Amino acid sequence: NPEAIMFAGNLYGQGSGGYATWFSFDGTEDQVQDDPKMKDYNVDQWVDKVVQDALDQYHHSLTEHQIWAAGGDFNYQNSDHWFNNLDKLIHYVNLNGTVNLFYSTPTIYTDSKLQNPNTNYQLRTDDIMPLADDAHDYWTGFYTSRPALKRQVRKSTNLLATARLLEAYTNITLDQVENILKNTGQQRPAPRVGDGFTDGLEGAVSLATHHDAMSGTERQSVTDDYELRMAEQAIVAETGISLAIK
């Protein structure tokens, strides 16, 4: 089935934990200095590095089209610094004329890689798991590890969906829910989050569905914290549901 075929490949080079190419403008120490009057003028060095790396990658790729991923977790917090330097890099590399550098998308890249019908890519029909990125580091446990946390995330997600519908339909507020908890002798078990009684559970579920949470890659104490947050906020959501259906 052609619709079930997935085009995949490895990113070439190292950077940002393997997610990106070698360069990064997340800090302030790296920059493309294009003022020739400045002592740290470095356009020639940047252009030469990009061109040489592009030519090296060309010899490890089936086509001349390359994807250079930039950034990773917590990058682009200073997006102005990032894109100001990327704009300069693209401009001066293209003036060199050896390679053509431009902002792109995964779709443009994939279409470019597949446009030559004479290029034969390796076809794999097996499961890529177990996948390892080091001698003893396998990316398989996230399917089965911490089953209790996975179940709690699933149950909490179902609870959140129900609570959201009733909250929207009845306009029950967090203040009303907190009053119920106080009147029944229950101390509110979690800090107030937002104005809706589902906001707290939404935050807890969102946190627990991070790829380093529900996957089970975190330490046990962190897992305990995820579970506690969902359990606390579930009490609030359940109280809101009970109030809404009365």
Side-chain angles (χ1 to χ4, degrees):
N1 181 4
E3 295 182 357
I5 295 177
M6 180 175 63
F7 182 76
N10 290 333
L11 290 177
Y12 189 81
Q14 298 293 328
S16 297
Y19 298 131
T21 341
W22 52 268
F23 62 83
S24 173
F25 297 114
D26 199 48
T28 56
E29 62 276 2
D30 285 335
Q31 65 175 343
V32 179
Q33 177 55 264
D34 59 349
D35 186 348
K37 294 188 245 181
M38 302 299 292
K39 296 294 185 183
D40 60 343
Y41 175 82
N42 58 7
V43 168
D44 295 335
Q45 292 94 320
W46 272 104
V47 171
D48 182 66
K49 175 67 173 170
V50 170
V51 170
Q52 293 304 317
D53 280 24
L55 293 175
D56 180 57
Q57 183 171 341
Y58 170 75
H59 294 297
H60 294 82
S61 178
L62 290 179
T63 75
E64 61 184 7
H65 302 287
Q66 305 172 13
I67 185 170
W68 285 37
D73 289 352
F74 310 112
N75 277 198
Y76 294 93
Q77 296 183 57
N78 186 350
S79 59
D80 182 69
H81 182 73
W82 255 101
F83 286 102
N84 182 46
N85 282 279
L86 285 176
D87 289 343
K88 290 182 181 179
L89 196 59
I90 291 172
H91 173 71
Y92 290 110
V93 167
N94 290 340
L95 283 181
N96 175 272
T98 306
V99 298
N100 181 30
L101 196 64
F102 59 93
Y103 291 113
S104 186
T105 66
T107 299
I108 294 175
Y109 169 70
T110 303
D111 290 343
S112 299
K113 296 291 281 188
L114 299 177
Q115 68 182 0
N116 187 348
N118 297 321
T119 302
N120 295 318
Y121 292 99
Q122 179 187 23
L123 179 63
R124 297 195 57 163
T125 58
D126 59 325
D127 192 345
I128 66 170
M129 296 297 180
L131 172 68
D133 62 357
D134 210 337
H136 303 287
D137 296 337
Y138 290 93
W139 292 73
T140 51
F142 60 90
Y143 284 122
T144 56
S145 61
R146 306 200 188 281
L149 175 62
K150 287 177 168 58
R151 182 181 185 277
Q152 188 176 1
V153 170
R154 182 177 183 130
K155 299 288 284 186
S156 297
T157 301
N158 293 340
L159 176 64
L160 177 61
T162 302
R164 276 172 167 171
L165 290 173
L166 290 172
E167 182 180 39
Y169 184 73
T170 63
N171 292 320
I172 297 295
T173 66
L174 180 57
D175 289 333
Q176 292 174 279
V177 172
E178 287 186 333
N179 287 334
I180 293 293
L181 291 173
K182 290 176 183 177
N183 293 335
T184 56
Q186 300 182 60
Q187 183 66 33
R188 174 164 165 72
R192 184 185 179 102
V193 178
D195 296 320
F197 72 84
T198 62
D199 290 346
L201 184 59
E202 179 181 298
V205 169
S206 299
L207 189 64
T209 51
H210 184 266
H211 63 243
D212 285 322
M214 189 168 62
S215 61
T217 60
E218 71 282 354
R219 297 180 180 182
Q220 184 59 50
S221 59
V222 181
T223 298
D224 294 341
D225 183 64
Y226 290 139
E227 293 172 342
L228 178 62
R229 289 170 183 265
M230 285 188 289
E232 289 176 341
Q233 296 295 348
I235 295 175
V236 179
E238 288 168 352
T239 304
I241 291 173
S242 176
L243 187 62
I245 61 179
K246 282 185 178 179

